[in-house]
């Protein structure tokens, strides 16, 4: 009975397949922290599943530049499974650089080499970008071969047209203003990039399951793109409202209270974009993993309790999976909309009396 429950969970719940590895032995307590964080954090290999207690993983390339004068190194992460390799090893739990590749410094302390490795998130990012390119180029190919005025697209091309039209008309055009076409390529790219990575993150099997948009480094870069777009292409009126806003003079001199507040606002806007996307996607992964964990947490409570609660976990997990698909779309929509709003505010013209 337990075997079929685990199989059903692995098919229906995202990230459930790796969860089989986390199932504890009869004499070992279930480590919830390791179970949760082990699935959402980055790694130097891509875990696929566990067969007869043996993990099945795809080793990824490790690319390092030593800070000890050891030069450039490139090797498979499989060499790190047995411990130290060429002076490098993965820092153990409790270390300052836990789960990161480190080397010994001259004083015996752990130091981080320059790490350009293709980790699970990087591999997932590359796969998702390739998938997005395939979809976009396939859509463009259809339009080159057909007259859209006489023949309506169907299938995936029709879905892409609907999404592009929705983002262009409902978000970009309304929020940016008259020169919206200049910013459409970036905003459309941001929408589809976030959407495809969100969707692939909830796919429970390879090549899905990578926590790309739940990684704050990814959301930071996305937020920086919006930040630079807003502030590089902002017009004179935008900068005047920041450096010399239309408020009583005593709020600007001798103490530049309002200009300081406006400058801080320049940075809080992209910060909110970064945290909102990161927190929502990461929370979604945690919620679904928590539901899957019910199977293992109740394993010692008897067959009746374990089977009953596992069935509830399956039903609730399927519901949350569907909800996460909606969240994947909403988060891409919200990030694009707020980016368009910030760009539109930087392009506003002074009111003519």
């Amino acid at each position: 009975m337990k075997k079929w429950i685990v199989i059903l969970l692995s098919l229906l719940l995202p990230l459930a397949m790796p969860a089989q590895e986390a199932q504890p032995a009869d004499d070992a307590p279930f480590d919830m922290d390791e179970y949760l964080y082990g699935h959402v954090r980055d790694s130097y290999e891509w875990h696929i599943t566990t067969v007869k207690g043996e993990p099945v993983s795809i080793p990824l390339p490790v690319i390092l530049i030593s800070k000890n004068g050891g030069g450039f190194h490139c090797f498979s992460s499989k060499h790190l499974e047995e411990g130290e390799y060429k002076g490098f090893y993965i820092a153990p739990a409790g270390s300052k650089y836990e789960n990161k590749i480190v080397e010994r410094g001259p004083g015996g302390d752990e130091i981080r080499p320059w790490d350009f490795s293709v980790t699970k998130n990087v591999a997932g990012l590359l796969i998702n970008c390739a998938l997005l390119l395939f979809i976009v180029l396939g859509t463009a190919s259809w339009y080159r071969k057909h007259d859209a005025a006489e023949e309506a697209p169907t299938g995936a091309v029709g879905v892409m047209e609907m999404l592009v039209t929705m983002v262009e008309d409902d978000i970009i055009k309304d929020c940016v203003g008259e020169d919206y076409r200049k910013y459409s390529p970036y905003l459309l790219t941001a929408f589809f990039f976030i959407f495809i990575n969100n969707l692939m993150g909830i796919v429970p099997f390879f090549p899905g399951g990578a926590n790309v948009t739940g990684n704050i480094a990814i959301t930071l870069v996305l937020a920086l793109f919006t930040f630079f777009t807003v502030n590089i292409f902002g017009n004179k009126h935008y900068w005047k409202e920041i450096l010399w806003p239309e408020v009583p003079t005593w709020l600007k001199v001798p103490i530049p209270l309002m200009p300081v507040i406006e400058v801080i606002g320049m940075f809080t806007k992209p910060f909110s974009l970064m945290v909102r996307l990161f927190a929502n996607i990461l929370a979604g992964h945690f919620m679904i993993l928590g539901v899957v964990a019910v199977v293992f947490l109740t394993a010692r409570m008897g067959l009746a309790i374990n089977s009953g609660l596992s069935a509830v976990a399956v039903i609730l997990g399927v519901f949350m999976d569907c909800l996460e698909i909606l969240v994947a779309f909403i988060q891409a929509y919200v990030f694009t909309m707020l980016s368009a709003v910030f760009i539109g505010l930087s392009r506003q013209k002074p009111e003519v009396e």
Side-chain angles (χ1 to χ4, degrees), residues 320-338:
M320 291 178 63
D321 248 0
C322 297
L323 185 63
E324 280 300 299
I325 295 175
L326 178 61
V327 170
F329 172 80
I330 290 175
Q331 290 306 314
Y333 186 95
V334 169
F335 187 97
T336 308
M337 180 186 67
L338 291 177

Side-chain angles (χ1 to χ4, degrees), residues 4 58 60 103 170 218 221 240 268 319 338 344:
W4 288 108
I58 299 176
L60 298 172
E103 59 182 336
D170 297 346
I218 302 295
V221 173
K240 177 182 177 298
T268 56
F319 170 76
L338 291 177

